[in-house]
Amino acid sequence: MSDIYSEIILDHYKHPHNRGHIKHDTHKAEEDNPLCGDNIKIYIKVSDKKIIEDISFEGEGCAISQASASMLTEFLKGKPVAQAKKITPEQIYNLLKIEISPARSKCALLALKTIKAALS
Ligand code: FES
């Protein structure tokens, strides 16, 4: 297992950050990965100055999809909405710190897709 998943991914998977439904969310979205059924819901509270004041997620799925949601919500808290909209797949792979095979890229990018949907 540790060949596939780095320690950091397993740690976020077992002890996710920002899991749950924040109060007073102003934006939300839900996305599935149709191939496997993994699911992520994102809740975001955006301030008048277009800053992500709070962000959380709920969902089910593989370690990579859930860990990337944990890491990405952690990364985006306090950041401008404009920055969140510009996050690239490469930045997600850098956060995860492992090589992501093409087959797993949908796992790694599900949270990002959901966040962009929520903010669009
Ligand atoms: Fe479904 Fe990873 S196996 S998102």
Side-chain angles (χ1 to χ4, degrees):
M1 187 119 174
S2 56
D3 291 350
I4 306 171
Y5 301 132
S6 70
E7 289 292 314
I8 188 163
I9 287 176
L10 282 179
D11 192 49
H12 275 271
Y13 180 56
K14 288 183 191 155
H15 310 286
H17 303 197
N18 310 310
R19 194 174 176 89
H21 187 168
I22 55 169
K23 285 189 186 135
H24 313 302
D25 52 287
T26 55
H27 297 66
K28 62 182 168 188
E30 176 174 5
E31 294 282 342
D32 300 301
N33 186 346
L35 290 176
C36 58
D38 284 19
N39 165 278
I40 295 207
K41 300 183 190 79
I42 292 279
Y43 307 99
I44 305 173
K45 181 170 189 245
V46 175
S47 73
D48 295 344
K49 293 187 171 155
K50 302 276 182 248
I51 300 292
I52 295 177
E53 257 178 17
D54 209 355
I55 178 167
S56 71
F57 79 100
E58 295 175 327
E60 284 167 22
C62 68
I64 293 180
S65 73
Q66 303 303 304
S68 73
S70 172
M71 289 176 176
L72 192 52
T73 52
E74 195 67 18
F75 176 75
L76 286 175
K77 213 183 275 189
K79 300 260 177 14
V81 168
Q83 184 177 348
K85 287 182 170 177
K86 283 193 226 148
I87 300 260
T88 62
E90 287 67 33
Q91 285 174 279
I92 305 293
Y93 303 150
N94 285 341
L95 278 177
L96 291 168
K97 294 189 172 58
I98 55 165
E99 286 290 320
I100 299 287
S101 68
R104 303 312 298 273
S105 67
K106 284 208 162 56
C107 306
L109 300 178
L110 183 60
L112 178 62
K113 184 179 167 194
T114 314
I115 287 169
K116 288 194 172 175
L119 293 173
S120 69

